Amino acid sequence: MTATATRHKPPLKVLLCSPRGFCAGVVRAIDSVERALARYGSPVYVRHEIVHNRYVVESLKAKGAIFVEELDEIPDTDAPVIFSAHGVPKSIPTEAQRRNFFALDATCPLVTKVHREAEIHNKRGREIVLIGHAGHPEVVGTIGQLPSGAITLLQSVEEVATFEPRDAGNLAYVTQTTLSVDDTAEIVAALKARFPSIHGPHKEDICYATTNRQEVVKKVAPMVDAMIVVGSPNSSNTQRLKEVAERAGCVRAMLVERAAEIDWAVFGSVGSIGVTAGASAPEVLVEEVIGAFAERYTVNVETVTTADEDMFFPLPRVLRENEAAE
Ligand code: SF4
C-alpha cells in the first residue's frame, strides 16, 4: 500500500470491546476436542457443534473430528465421543454408557451448575421454571436433567402472566446462561411479583462471560455509528449482543460470521464502529473483520474495557489424567 493510496482512505474510529470472544467454557470445550485428537487420534466424535461457531467446527473437522447430532449416527467404536459445551439431557450419557462409548463431557461447568441447581430444587419438591429459549441445546439439556414435567420453560413476561403452576407456594426458577441480562431481569421480576416465595439463584444464572460482553456493548454502542458483532447466528450469546447494541441506541448493528458478509452498503460510509465477538467466536475472525475495514478506511483502533476476565476451567478429568501419565 502506498502512502498516496492510504491518504485516499477516509478515517474510521474502531472501538474494540473488551471482554469479547472466547470465554473459559468455550476454551475448555475446544481444548477437550483438540486434546482428545492428540491423545487418541482421529476420529473423535462430537455430539452437536462443540461450540456454536462454524469456523471452529470446520477447523476441528479438518483435524479429524466428526460432528453428529445424535449418538445413533455413531458406529460402534472405541473412539472418544464428546458432548458439547451446551450440556446434554441425562438420557445421552446413559445411552453412551449402554453403547460402551468412551464419553467425554465438555459441558461448561457453569451450565452443569444450573443442572445441579435444578436437581436440588427437584429434591426439595419444588416445581421448576426455566427461563430460556425453546429449542436451544442448553435448554434441552437442562430440561432433560429431570423427569418430564418437572421443569416448565418460560420465555417472556407474557408467558409468566399465563403460567399456571401446580403449587404457587412451592416454586423455583433457573435460567439459561446466555440470555439478555435486562430481559431476564424483567422476567424474574414478573415471576417474583406473581409468586413472591419463588426460590432462585442470588441474581440469575446468566454467566460471567455473557454479562461482561453485554456490559461493554452497552457502553460502546451509543458512542459509534454502527456495531459489528462477530459470531454465528445460532449462538445465543452472540445474538443477544446484537440486540443489546440496538437497544443501547445503535441503529446499525450487524452480526457477521466472516468479513465477507459485511454489508458495505451499510458500513461503507461510517465514521466510527464498535466491534465485539460472541463467546464462541475466535479472535482471528475479529482480526479478519478489522482487516476488511482497514482495506477501505484508515482505521484507528481503541479498546474499551469494562471488565477483566481471568476465569479458567480445567479440562475433563480423563484428559487431565492422561496428561499426567505422559
Ligand atoms: S458462554 Fe458462559 S455458560 Fe456458555 S460456555 Fe461460555 S462461560 Fe460457559
Side-chain angles (χ1 to χ4, degrees):
M1 182 64 63
T2 65
T4 312
T6 304
R7 271 202 301 275
H8 291 306
K9 294 185 197 174
L12 178 74
K13 186 158 85 172
V14 177
L15 297 186
L16 191 53
C17 295
S18 175
R20 66 179 176 281
F22 278 6
C23 60
V26 161
V27 169
R28 176 180 184 267
I30 295 170
D31 284 356
S32 294
V33 179
E34 290 190 332
R35 182 65 59 87
L37 282 164
R39 289 280 176 277
Y40 308 109
S42 175
V44 164
Y45 291 92
V46 185
R47 184 189 177 275
H48 193 67
E49 291 189 347
I50 186 74
V51 300
H52 284 157
N53 186 272
R54 196 193 307 176
Y55 180 91
V56 169
V57 168
E58 293 302 326
S59 306
L60 292 173
K61 270 187 197 168
K63 292 176 184 173
I66 296 176
F67 289 84
V68 299
E69 278 309 304
E70 294 300 342
L71 297 184
D72 60 14
E73 296 165 48
I74 304 174
D76 290 337
T77 179
D78 292 335
V81 176
I82 302 182
F83 307 147
S84 77
H86 315 94
V88 291
K90 277 235 163 94
S91 56
I92 299 301
T94 303
E95 174 63 6
Q97 198 173 22
R98 188 190 71 76
R99 294 201 50 200
N100 288 320
F101 283 152
F102 171 29
L104 294 169
D105 189 358
T107 301
C108 176
L110 299 182
V111 174
T112 303
K113 178 172 155 275
V114 179
H115 293 177
R116 296 293 87 81
E117 282 172 26
E119 281 180 331
I120 289 167
H121 289 310
N122 184 253
K123 277 200 183 108
R124 293 180 179 165
R126 297 170 184 151
E127 183 178 351
I128 300 163
V129 167
L130 168 62
I131 303 171
H133 295 295
H136 189 278
E138 183 186 327
V139 163
V140 174
T142 300
I143 290 176
Q145 296 306 303
L146 294 171
S148 175
I151 299 180
T152 302
L153 177 68
L154 296 181
Q155 304 188 73
S156 64
V157 169
E158 292 72 30
E159 288 187 13
V160 171
T162 55
F163 172 51
E164 293 299 341
R166 290 186 289 275
D167 176 0
N170 200 18
L171 282 173
Y173 74 89
V174 294
T175 81
Q176 193 178 332
T177 57
T178 52
L179 300 176
S180 151
V181 171
D182 294 339
D183 285 352
T184 307
E186 284 179 21
I187 298 172
V188 169
L191 272 173
K192 286 182 173 169
R194 268 199 78 195
F195 311 109
S197 64
I198 193 167
H199 295 267
H202 175 58
K203 219 168 149 222
E204 11 64 5
D205 298 302
I206 297 172
C207 75
Y208 80 97
T210 298
T211 306
N212 290 346
R213 280 150 193 69
Q214 290 180 18
E215 203 54 42
V216 64
V217 166
K218 272 188 209 169
K219 180 166 181 185
V220 165
M223 299 160 68
V224 292
D225 296 332
M227 271 308 288
I228 291 255
V229 180
V230 181
S232 290
N234 61 339
S235 161
S236 172
N237 82 85
T238 307
Q239 286 287 3
R240 303 293 83 76
L241 291 177
K242 177 172 176 283
E243 290 169 11
V244 166
E246 287 165 344
R247 284 188 205 169
C250 185
V251 286
R252 286 184 278 187
M254 183 180 288
L255 193 158
V256 297
E257 290 199 276
R258 302 294 299 260
E261 294 170 16
I262 298 170
D263 182 352
W264 294 107
V266 175
F267 287 88
S269 58
V270 287
S272 60
I273 60 164
V275 177
T276 187
S280 43
E283 186 65 9
V284 65
L285 300 185
V286 174
E287 288 165 7
E288 181 184 278
V289 163
I290 294 175
F293 279 95
E295 284 173 15
R296 291 162 177 81
Y297 292 96
T298 302
V299 297
N300 172 22
V301 181
E302 279 175 38
T303 301
V304 177
T305 304
T306 54
D308 291 321
E309 291 182 350
D310 57 2
M311 192 70 81
F312 168 76
F313 298 135
L315 287 173
R317 190 168 299 278
V318 175
L319 294 172
R320 276 183 272 159
E321 281 169 358
N322 280 0
E323 184 177 57
E326 227 179 23

